[in-house]
Amino acid sequence: MKQRNLLPRQTPAEMVDRSGGAEYVELGERSSPKLVKYQKVSVIPLVFLIFYEVSGGPFGIEDSVKAAGPLLSLLGFLLVPFVWSVPEALITAELGTMFPENGGYVVWVSSALGPYWGFQQGWMKWLSGVIDNALYPVLFLDYLKLDIPELEGGLPRTITVLALTIVLTYMSYRGLTIVGWVAIFLGVFSLVPFIFMGFVAIPRLNPSRWLLMDLDHVNWSLFLNTLFWNLNYWDSISTLAGEVENPSKTLPKSLFYALLLVIFGYFFPLLVGTGAVPLDRELWTDGYFSDIAKMLGGVWLLTWVQAAAALSNMGMFLAEMSSDSFQLEGMAIRGMLPELFAKRSRYGTPLVGILLSASGVILLSWMSFQEIVAAENFLYCFGMIMEFIAFVKLRIDYPAESRPYKIPVGTIGSIIMCIPPTLMILVVLAFASFKVMVISMVAVIIGLVLEPCLRYSERKRWFKYSIIADNREYYPAYQ
């Protein structure tokens, strides 16, 4: 067994000089001193930040009915969370409290496999996050174009996407406290109209519609990508762990409440929509919940659902932007990226990370909804495989290491727990189109080359990097 003190116990400030009497602290005991002056995120805002990292409401699940029909869609959003979402949330709770600092999964993989693979994890997850964020302006306009046809394409759509991205980027710049409380308001506003829809739909519900299924006409690629996209990203909140108040208790509790909220937010609207309206699978595309709202409640409910959809996409954009930018800050603190990525604005936000992430969103906003989802899922799958490997390896190599929250299974149980989501990953990868595979593999290759280039720039002193005292102290894999 390796010595326990090999895992990272130092704050970034303490890593600069081991000979200067730096104080070693237990994992989770405290956050970086440079974060103390900024207000921390508590349970309720964190629940809604996770909700928006993962879901944001039922907007975007309509394609599942188009692809597979009501029964498979209902079963998918009821059962797949136990195969995918629960294991991912549990691993996030354990490793997020074991390493309560910004950077999240980058730190996990670095500690288990070394900094090179930690960088690859950060590259693929950041890129998939930026691709994911490019969806939300698209979805925002897909709901509004029903009333404003000019937003369907051309210059008006381009200008609107650009303006929306700038406004939301500014809100991200203003700080996590604002983002967290905005997420609460947006979350409540986005879910309440579907509760009203459920009440007005009661006289029109026909339970036999829930059982409709045609296995000969199932678009498995679209169905699985829609399920996977709507149920992943539980680990994204780990990149904000350094901003969380008392993460050892707050993070697991918030993940549990968010899991319940996400499942309800998908299953209930799907139950209402498929049960109250005669099935026409071709109509089930982005924005169809607005049409259902009009059929069931009239123009007032249509307007509410459209407004909820638009604001929900704003919430998802803000949550994802926060996660992506703080991830880059965490990587910069560990010397993986130039130090300028670690510099914070007057509001405590990583300015360079926000600007870089926003630029990526604008560049990718021309892609279609289905293309964005497929490309994002492909990259995300690679990152999740490395997370599962890191989780199991840390359990094997450091069984006695402090884990404020520990999944109540042993090493064998940890391996077994990772098998079902890994199988789901392989299925999603198998159904990817050739175009998506090529684009994603090019992105992976760029990451493999980019890390040595950054190390070369460090040796040549082209950029300033944070100083990590000794890789062997920070990354156990170097032992």
Side-chain angles (χ1 to χ4, degrees):
M1 184 186 301
K2 296 182 175 69
Q3 296 297 316
R4 290 189 62 205
N5 63 3
L6 295 181
L7 274 180
R9 303 173 186 278
Q10 302 159 275
T11 62
E14 291 165 342
M15 292 176 188
V16 176
D17 185 8
R18 286 179 297 166
S19 64
E23 177 188 358
Y24 290 75
V25 297
E26 289 295 325
L27 279 172
E29 187 174 318
R30 71 186 188 198
S31 301
S32 171
K34 65 189 290 186
L35 306 183
V36 172
K37 63 181 179 180
Y38 303 117
Q39 188 171 348
K40 300 286 186 175
V41 181
S42 57
V43 173
I44 296 177
L46 190 62
V47 167
F48 281 89
L49 279 172
I50 297 171
F51 173 71
Y52 273 113
E53 291 276 13
V54 177
S55 166
F59 315 106
I61 69 172
E62 297 96 331
D63 278 330
S64 66
V65 179
K66 179 180 181 178
L71 181 59
L72 287 180
S73 296
L74 289 167
L75 289 175
F77 282 104
L78 188 63
L79 299 180
V80 171
F82 293 96
V83 176
W84 176 258
S85 301
V86 171
E88 189 182 2
L90 287 172
I91 290 172
T92 299
E94 177 170 317
L95 297 183
T97 56
M98 188 179 178
F99 300 93
E101 50 189 295
N102 297 342
Y105 36 70
V106 176
V107 181
W108 311 344
V109 174
S110 296
S111 297
L113 305 176
Y116 179 82
W117 293 109
F119 178 88
Q120 303 310 318
Q121 173 77 350
W123 165 251
M124 285 186 286
K125 283 301 192 78
W126 176 80
L127 196 57
S128 69
V130 171
I131 295 172
D132 181 57
N133 234 5
L135 280 171
Y136 304 129
V138 172
L139 284 173
F140 182 94
L141 297 182
D142 281 346
Y143 272 85
L144 293 185
K145 72 183 181 184
L146 298 174
D147 290 329
I148 311 174
E150 291 80 9
L151 296 179
E152 183 120 17
L155 187 60
R157 184 181 181 91
T158 302
I159 293 174
T160 305
V161 167
L162 182 60
L164 184 63
T165 302
I166 291 173
V167 170
L168 295 177
T169 299
Y170 177 74
M171 292 181 68
S172 299
Y173 163 73
R174 287 300 303 268
L176 267 184
T177 303
I178 290 177
V179 170
W181 288 106
V182 168
I184 294 174
F185 165 75
L186 295 178
V188 173
F189 186 82
S190 299
L191 291 175
V192 169
F194 290 96
I195 296 175
F196 275 88
M197 189 187 294
F199 282 115
V200 300
I202 291 175
R204 303 178 62 169
L205 287 176
N206 181 352
S208 65
R209 292 173 181 152
W210 296 328
L211 303 178
L212 296 175
M213 179 177 63
D214 183 0
L215 290 176
D216 294 327
H217 296 87
V218 176
N219 184 338
W220 290 107
S221 177
L222 178 59
F223 179 59
L224 291 172
N225 270 308
T226 303
L227 280 176
F228 192 73
W229 176 65
N230 280 285
L231 291 168
N232 62 19
Y233 279 90
W234 293 93
D235 58 339
S236 292
I237 202 66
S238 68
T239 63
L240 307 174
E243 313 301 312
V244 175
E245 181 182 292
N246 192 10
S248 62
K249 293 182 179 180
T250 302
L251 188 58
K253 188 184 299 184
S254 299
L255 282 163
F256 174 73
Y257 293 146
L259 179 65
L260 298 179
L261 191 61
V262 167
I263 294 175
F264 171 80
Y266 285 147
F267 189 76
F268 183 75
L270 205 54
L271 199 67
V272 172
T274 55
V277 176
L279 179 64
D280 184 344
R281 283 172 55 175
E282 291 306 311
L283 296 177
W284 280 84
T285 56
D286 304 329
Y288 188 55
F289 274 119
S290 295
D291 296 332
I292 295 175
K294 186 176 182 180
M295 295 179 211
L296 298 178
V299 176
W300 70 273
L301 191 55
L302 162 69
T303 304
W304 193 356
V305 169
Q306 285 182 328
L311 293 178
S312 174
N313 286 291
M314 289 174 58
M316 289 187 282
F317 186 102
L318 291 171
E320 185 64 54
M321 178 66 74
S322 298
S323 174
D324 294 342
S325 57
F326 276 100
Q327 176 200 316
L328 294 180
E329 185 217 34
M331 293 175 71
I333 288 174
R334 282 155 196 85
M336 294 182 181
L337 293 175
E339 197 176 61
L340 60 93
F341 284 93
K343 295 186 182 299
R344 293 202 176 197
S345 70
R346 57 186 291 195
Y347 301 106
T349 49
L351 178 59
V352 176
I354 288 174
L355 292 176
L356 184 63
S357 299
S359 300
V361 169
I362 292 172
L363 289 174
L364 292 166
S365 60
W366 58 270
M367 296 173 67
S368 71
F369 179 85
Q370 284 80 11
E371 287 177 326
I372 293 174
V373 169
E376 171 211 335
N377 283 347
F378 201 91
L379 287 171
Y380 189 82
C381 285
F382 282 116
M384 285 309 305
I385 289 173
M386 282 205 287
E387 275 185 38
F388 294 151
I389 293 172
F391 168 65
V392 172
K393 193 171 188 300
L394 289 170
R395 275 294 190 99
I396 294 172
D397 291 349
Y398 305 97
E401 189 62 43
S402 173
R403 291 170 170 84
Y405 173 83
K406 185 175 182 179
I407 304 170
V409 294
T411 302
I412 301 300
S414 301
I415 296 172
I416 293 173
M417 188 182 75
C418 292
I419 292 175
T422 301
L423 291 176
M424 184 171 179
I425 285 174
L426 295 177
V427 172
V428 171
L429 291 176
F431 277 101
S433 68
F434 180 74
K435 177 182 176 181
V436 168
M437 285 185 184
V438 170
I439 293 173
S440 300
M441 291 310 299
V442 169
V444 170
I445 292 170
I446 290 173
L448 295 174
V449 174
L450 182 59
E451 199 276 345
C453 291
L454 288 171
R455 299 287 68 81
Y456 182 77
S457 73
E458 182 179 11
R459 291 192 298 272
K460 291 293 185 178
R461 298 187 179 182
W462 293 343
F463 299 102
K464 186 178 180 182
Y465 287 78
S466 296
I467 301 173
I468 303 299
D470 189 337
N471 275 334
R472 287 173 298 175
E473 284 291 333
Y474 199 71
Y475 303 110
Y478 266 48
Q479 295 297 322

